[in-house]
Amino acid sequence: MRARLRNLHVVAAAAAALFTSAVLSAQTPTLLQQAGNTAKTQSQLPVTLNQRTTPGSLLVVCYTTTASGTATVSGGGVSQWTLCQAALPGATNVQIFAGVVNGSPSRAVNVTLASSSALASVSVSEWRGFVGMPLVAAASGTGSSLDLNPTATTSPLQIQDGDLVVSMCAMTDGTEVVPEPIHSWKPLPQGRKNDHLLMAAGWFVASSPELVSMRWPFTRAQDYSSALVAFRMPAPPPQTPMLVQHTSDALWNVSSLTLQLGQQPAPGDLLVVCHESNSSSNSRISGGGVTQWTLCMSSAPTIVNSEIWAGIVGPSPSSTITITLGSAPNGAIASVSQWSDLPVPLAFEAMLSSGPTGGTGVQTPSVPADANELVVAMVGIHQGANTVSLPTNGFTQFTQAYLPSTAMSAAWFVPTTAGYYSTSWSLQNSTRWAAPIVVFGGR
């Protein structure tokens, strides 16, 4: 799952009409982690995930409360949360939010209630397999204890093969057991059951086109609210991205490194920086006319310091990019490339592999990519008198540079068909290494 760039604005299409045809994609939704919480709260309901979120992944929040109004969600490394399912009238208030991790990854997600002193329950799940914020379509349902049919339902929603479908049902009768829905799904955690507020949340990945309506059978009719949200990848980029220009530099014993492009980049184009340093913490980047640079992936502080950054050129382009090291003086290597013909907003998915105990074989993770997406990879090592081979699997090298105690190779590839892609390098001498890889796609 990849975070959007261009000031990191996230756009979701909430109309079911957008789901009229299936979209071929190399992506498959994969659940990375999940957590939940239920409490009587004055204003905020926190959730702590088991590990820090991953840049580019999708976070989905299922939330219910006895209070009225729409909540707000923050944290998790998401700069902009999207309300996919708004509050419904009735005794229970169900809402579903989603957002892409495009800031500082974090274990902490927080829901702020619209009203105080209310019971609230929340489930948070993290997903890989989307490029930026996916298309969203939602359906909902409400019912009363006076209903003749003791079944909670949602309105029907047309889904397609590969859709991630998340649904939830909530009620306020503490004597009733929330049932499993009549559909193949897997439950999401929502914390302990709390008297007078019960919620069930779950998910499934559609295996075929279907008009689906979720149903939860009760022992007797209940006041309930239900929601169903489908997440889908839009179509891949329509044309092949073009490499406009690139440059690189390497300096030893410095606090910053400045890259000078041969010409000013065009507004709307993508700049990608592959950067290696001896610093134990992340660098900072400015310039190029980019309003907000995004750190797509970093190996710091676990192993060496290999970073891939990206940003969209704004209305005031500049040919100068400055990288300020997290700690100095140190060695620094960097390569910057400019790409056109990628639709804006832009999205990315990033992964990292590493060799903390050393070795001479370097392999990036295998990442899913569609035709006309841009795949950028690099390897960084911290050892002098070593050499790095050319990249494999059709990747084209931007640059290869060496300093007394560090080296870097950066490369790119544009697939012509959907599939899984990776590259590798061989080292002359065994040493620790890090190899991030990022897929950029227009969404």
Side-chain angles (χ1 to χ4, degrees):
M1 290 166 257
R2 309 161 201 172
R4 289 189 184 281
L5 307 182
R6 185 133 188 189
N7 300 331
L8 302 185
H9 290 316
V10 176
V11 179
L18 291 171
F19 280 10
T20 55
S21 61
V23 176
L24 296 178
S25 173
Q27 316 301 313
T28 300
T30 302
L31 179 61
L32 298 181
Q33 60 176 330
Q34 54 186 329
N37 191 14
T38 301
K40 182 173 184 179
T41 177
Q42 292 296 316
S43 60
Q44 295 184 332
L45 183 61
V47 177
T48 302
L49 294 165
N50 291 330
Q51 58 190 24
R52 289 197 311 168
T53 53
T54 302
S57 64
L58 176 74
L59 296 187
V60 179
V61 172
C62 295
Y63 163 75
T64 186
T65 181
T66 55
S68 60
T70 301
T72 57
V73 181
S74 59
V78 174
S79 64
Q80 182 172 336
W81 287 90
T82 298
L83 178 61
C84 304
Q85 170 60 55
L88 296 170
T92 55
N93 184 348
V94 298
Q95 298 162 43
I96 298 179
F97 297 82
V100 174
V101 180
N102 53 17
S104 299
S106 170
R107 296 174 57 200
V109 177
N110 193 64
V111 179
T112 301
L113 280 63
S115 303
S116 60
S117 300
L119 292 171
S121 186
V122 63
S123 172
V124 180
S125 54
E126 180 182 6
W127 300 87
R128 177 180 294 282
F130 294 98
V131 185
M133 186 66 192
L135 300 178
V136 174
S140 59
T142 58
S144 165
S145 60
L146 301 179
D147 292 342
L148 297 178
N149 185 357
T151 303
T153 64
T154 65
S155 299
L157 181 67
Q158 181 65 52
I159 61 175
Q160 295 291 342
D161 183 15
D163 287 356
L164 169 63
V165 183
V166 176
S167 61
M168 62 180 293
C169 180
M171 60 184 184
T172 57
D173 186 347
T175 63
E176 177 73 40
V177 176
V178 178
E180 294 294 320
I182 300 178
H183 203 291
S184 176
W185 86 335
K186 298 179 182 179
L188 292 168
Q190 63 273 348
R192 63 184 177 85
K193 300 297 183 185
N194 200 322
D195 286 347
H196 310 302
L197 180 64
L198 299 175
M199 181 180 89
W203 64 275
F204 67 91
V205 175
S207 58
S208 62
E210 180 183 359
L211 186 65
V212 63
S213 175
M214 299 300 294
R215 295 187 297 140
W216 291 262
F218 297 124
T219 57
R220 55 189 176 84
Q222 304 289 327
D223 293 334
Y224 74 86
S225 296
S226 61
L228 170 67
V229 174
F231 299 94
R232 173 176 303 166
M233 284 296 302
Q239 57 189 350
T240 303
M242 299 297 295
L243 176 60
V244 179
Q245 60 178 330
H246 72 91
T247 189
S248 60
D249 201 359
L251 291 175
W252 178 246
N253 204 34
V254 295
S255 59
S256 64
L257 179 65
T258 298
L259 298 171
Q260 185 70 46
L261 290 167
Q263 60 189 30
Q264 281 194 351
D269 280 5
L270 169 71
L271 296 182
V272 180
V273 173
C274 297
H275 169 51
E276 180 73 19
S277 80
N278 290 97
S279 175
S280 59
S281 56
N282 292 327
S283 299
R284 302 183 304 277
I285 297 187
S286 60
V290 174
T291 302
Q292 182 172 340
W293 283 93
T294 296
L295 179 58
C296 303
M297 180 57 72
S298 170
S299 64
T302 305
I303 181 172
V304 297
N305 190 4
S306 304
E307 306 173 10
I308 298 181
W309 293 74
I312 298 295
V313 180
S316 301
S318 167
S319 59
T320 301
I321 295 98
T322 299
I323 302 171
T324 303
L325 303 188
S327 59
N330 269 305
I333 306 171
S335 169
V336 59
S337 57
Q338 176 190 347
W339 297 87
S340 64
D341 297 333
L342 277 166
V344 175
L346 195 89
F348 71 86
E349 180 175 12
M351 298 181 72
L352 174 73
S353 62
S354 62
T357 60
T360 58
V362 176
Q363 177 76 48
T364 70
S366 181
V367 292
D370 284 315
N372 298 331
E373 293 189 326
L374 170 64
V375 186
V376 175
M378 65 169 285
V379 58
I381 63 173
H382 280 189
Q383 185 184 60
N386 205 341
T387 59
V388 182
S389 72
L390 290 173
T392 63
N393 298 338
F395 277 69
T396 301
Q397 184 170 262
F398 286 121
T399 187
Q400 191 173 106
Y402 297 87
L403 290 173
S405 66
T406 190
M408 182 187 86
S409 172
W412 63 274
F413 180 77
V414 176
T416 57
T417 59
Y420 284 78
Y421 297 91
S422 66
T423 189
S424 61
W425 296 263
S426 59
L427 309 177
Q428 179 180 351
N429 305 315
S430 175
T431 188
R432 298 195 310 156
W433 54 267
I437 185 169
V438 181
V439 182
F440 297 96
R443 293 296 182 260

